[in-house]
Short mmCIF file of all heavy atoms in Angstrom, two decimals:
data_model
loop_
_atom_site.label_atom_id
_atom_site.label_comp_id
_atom_site.label_asym_id
_atom_site.label_seq_id
_atom_site.Cartn_x
_atom_site.Cartn_y
_atom_site.Cartn_z
N TRP I 104 11.45 -5.94 1.94
CA TRP I 104 12.09 -4.65 1.70
C TRP I 104 12.67 -4.08 2.99
O TRP I 104 13.81 -3.59 3.01
CB TRP I 104 11.10 -3.65 1.12
CG TRP I 104 10.53 -3.95 -0.21
CD1 TRP I 104 10.86 -4.99 -1.04
CD2 TRP I 104 9.52 -3.21 -0.90
NE1 TRP I 104 10.11 -4.94 -2.18
CE2 TRP I 104 9.28 -3.86 -2.13
CE3 TRP I 104 8.78 -2.06 -0.58
CZ2 TRP I 104 8.34 -3.38 -3.05
CZ3 TRP I 104 7.85 -1.59 -1.49
CH2 TRP I 104 7.64 -2.24 -2.71
N GLN I 116 19.58 -2.73 -2.54
CA GLN I 116 18.51 -2.11 -3.33
C GLN I 116 17.52 -1.34 -2.48
O GLN I 116 17.10 -0.24 -2.83
CB GLN I 116 17.77 -3.18 -4.14
CG GLN I 116 16.62 -2.61 -4.97
CD GLN I 116 15.92 -3.66 -5.81
OE1 GLN I 116 16.33 -4.81 -5.85
NE2 GLN I 116 14.86 -3.27 -6.49
N TYR I 117 17.12 -1.91 -1.33
CA TYR I 117 16.05 -1.31 -0.54
C TYR I 117 16.55 -0.53 0.68
O TYR I 117 15.76 -0.19 1.55
CB TYR I 117 15.07 -2.40 -0.10
CG TYR I 117 14.44 -3.13 -1.26
CD1 TYR I 117 14.81 -4.44 -1.57
CD2 TYR I 117 13.51 -2.50 -2.09
CE1 TYR I 117 14.25 -5.11 -2.66
CE2 TYR I 117 12.96 -3.16 -3.18
CZ TYR I 117 13.33 -4.46 -3.46
OH TYR I 117 12.78 -5.12 -4.53
N ASP I 119 17.33 2.50 1.28
CA ASP I 119 16.72 3.80 1.56
C ASP I 119 15.27 3.88 1.10
O ASP I 119 14.75 4.97 0.85
CB ASP I 119 17.54 4.92 0.93
CG ASP I 119 18.85 5.16 1.67
OD1 ASP I 119 18.90 4.88 2.88
OD2 ASP I 119 19.82 5.61 1.03
N TYR I 120 14.59 2.74 1.03
CA TYR I 120 13.16 2.77 0.73
C TYR I 120 12.34 3.18 1.96
O TYR I 120 11.14 3.43 1.84
CB TYR I 120 12.68 1.40 0.26
CG TYR I 120 12.84 1.14 -1.22
CD1 TYR I 120 14.05 1.40 -1.87
CD2 TYR I 120 11.80 0.62 -1.98
CE1 TYR I 120 14.21 1.14 -3.23
CE2 TYR I 120 11.96 0.37 -3.34
CZ TYR I 120 13.16 0.63 -3.96
OH TYR I 120 13.32 0.38 -5.29
N ASN I 158 9.75 5.73 2.08
CA ASN I 158 10.47 6.99 1.86
C ASN I 158 10.06 7.62 0.54
O ASN I 158 10.53 7.21 -0.53
CB ASN I 158 11.97 6.72 1.88
CG ASN I 158 12.79 7.99 1.69
OD1 ASN I 158 12.29 9.10 1.86
ND2 ASN I 158 14.06 7.83 1.35
N PRO I 172 12.11 14.69 -2.33
CA PRO I 172 11.26 13.80 -3.13
C PRO I 172 11.87 13.38 -4.46
O PRO I 172 11.57 12.30 -4.97
CB PRO I 172 9.98 14.61 -3.33
CG PRO I 172 9.93 15.54 -2.16
CD PRO I 172 11.37 15.90 -1.89
N ASP I 174 15.10 12.86 -5.00
CA ASP I 174 16.33 12.09 -4.83
C ASP I 174 16.12 10.65 -5.29
O ASP I 174 14.98 10.17 -5.39
CB ASP I 174 16.78 12.13 -3.37
CG ASP I 174 17.44 13.45 -3.00
OD1 ASP I 174 17.74 14.23 -3.92
OD2 ASP I 174 17.64 13.70 -1.79
N PRO I 175 17.21 9.94 -5.58
CA PRO I 175 17.08 8.60 -6.17
C PRO I 175 16.23 7.62 -5.35
O PRO I 175 15.41 6.90 -5.93
CB PRO I 175 18.53 8.13 -6.28
CG PRO I 175 19.32 9.39 -6.46
CD PRO I 175 18.63 10.40 -5.59
N ALA I 176 16.43 7.57 -4.04
CA ALA I 176 15.70 6.57 -3.25
C ALA I 176 14.20 6.85 -3.21
O ALA I 176 13.39 5.94 -3.44
CB ALA I 176 16.28 6.48 -1.84
N PRO I 177 13.74 8.09 -2.91
CA PRO I 177 12.30 8.34 -2.98
C PRO I 177 11.71 8.09 -4.36
O PRO I 177 10.57 7.61 -4.47
CB PRO I 177 12.19 9.82 -2.58
CG PRO I 177 13.37 10.05 -1.69
CD PRO I 177 14.47 9.24 -2.32
N MET I 178 12.47 8.38 -5.40
CA MET I 178 11.97 8.10 -6.74
C MET I 178 11.86 6.60 -6.98
O MET I 178 10.93 6.12 -7.63
CB MET I 178 12.88 8.74 -7.79
CG MET I 178 12.82 10.26 -7.81
SD MET I 178 11.17 10.93 -8.21
CE MET I 178 11.03 10.44 -9.93
N ALA I 179 12.82 5.83 -6.43
CA ALA I 179 12.76 4.37 -6.57
C ALA I 179 11.56 3.81 -5.81
O ALA I 179 10.89 2.87 -6.29
CB ALA I 179 14.06 3.76 -6.06
N THR I 180 11.27 4.36 -4.64
CA THR I 180 10.08 3.94 -3.89
C THR I 180 8.83 4.19 -4.71
O THR I 180 7.93 3.35 -4.79
CB THR I 180 9.99 4.70 -2.56
OG1 THR I 180 11.20 4.51 -1.82
CG2 THR I 180 8.81 4.22 -1.73
N ARG I 181 8.78 5.35 -5.34
CA ARG I 181 7.64 5.70 -6.17
C ARG I 181 7.47 4.70 -7.32
O ARG I 181 6.36 4.24 -7.61
CB ARG I 181 7.86 7.12 -6.71
CG ARG I 181 6.69 7.71 -7.42
CD ARG I 181 7.00 9.08 -8.00
NE ARG I 181 7.51 10.05 -7.04
CZ ARG I 181 7.63 11.35 -7.28
NH1 ARG I 181 7.26 11.82 -8.48
NH2 ARG I 181 8.11 12.17 -6.37
N GLU I 182 8.59 4.35 -7.97
CA GLU I 182 8.52 3.41 -9.08
C GLU I 182 8.10 2.03 -8.61
O GLU I 182 7.37 1.31 -9.32
CB GLU I 182 9.88 3.35 -9.80
CG GLU I 182 10.25 4.63 -10.53
CD GLU I 182 9.18 5.06 -11.54
OE1 GLU I 182 8.73 4.20 -12.33
OE2 GLU I 182 8.79 6.24 -11.52
N ALA I 183 8.53 1.64 -7.41
CA ALA I 183 8.12 0.34 -6.87
C ALA I 183 6.61 0.30 -6.67
O ALA I 183 5.96 -0.73 -6.93
CB ALA I 183 8.84 0.06 -5.55
N MET I 184 6.03 1.40 -6.21
CA MET I 184 4.57 1.44 -6.02
C MET I 184 3.85 1.44 -7.37
O MET I 184 2.76 0.86 -7.50
CB MET I 184 4.19 2.65 -5.18
CG MET I 184 2.86 2.52 -4.47
SD MET I 184 2.67 1.02 -3.45
CE MET I 184 4.06 1.16 -2.31
N LYS I 185 4.43 2.07 -8.37
CA LYS I 185 3.84 2.00 -9.72
C LYS I 185 3.83 0.56 -10.21
O LYS I 185 2.86 0.12 -10.85
CB LYS I 185 4.62 2.89 -10.70
CG LYS I 185 4.45 4.37 -10.48
CD LYS I 185 5.30 5.15 -11.49
CE LYS I 185 5.23 6.65 -11.25
NZ LYS I 185 6.09 7.41 -12.18
N ASP I 186 4.89 -0.18 -9.91
CA ASP I 186 4.94 -1.58 -10.33
C ASP I 186 3.84 -2.40 -9.66
O ASP I 186 3.24 -3.29 -10.28
CB ASP I 186 6.30 -2.19 -10.00
CG ASP I 186 7.40 -1.73 -10.94
OD1 ASP I 186 7.08 -1.23 -12.04
OD2 ASP I 186 8.59 -1.87 -10.58
#
Side-chain angles (χ1 to χ4, degrees):
W104 296 355
Q116 179 178 355
Y117 300 108
D119 287 333
Y120 274 49
N158 182 17
D174 283 349
M178 291 299 291
T180 305
R181 189 183 305 192
E182 292 305 312
M184 203 53 57
K185 289 179 184 177
D186 286 341

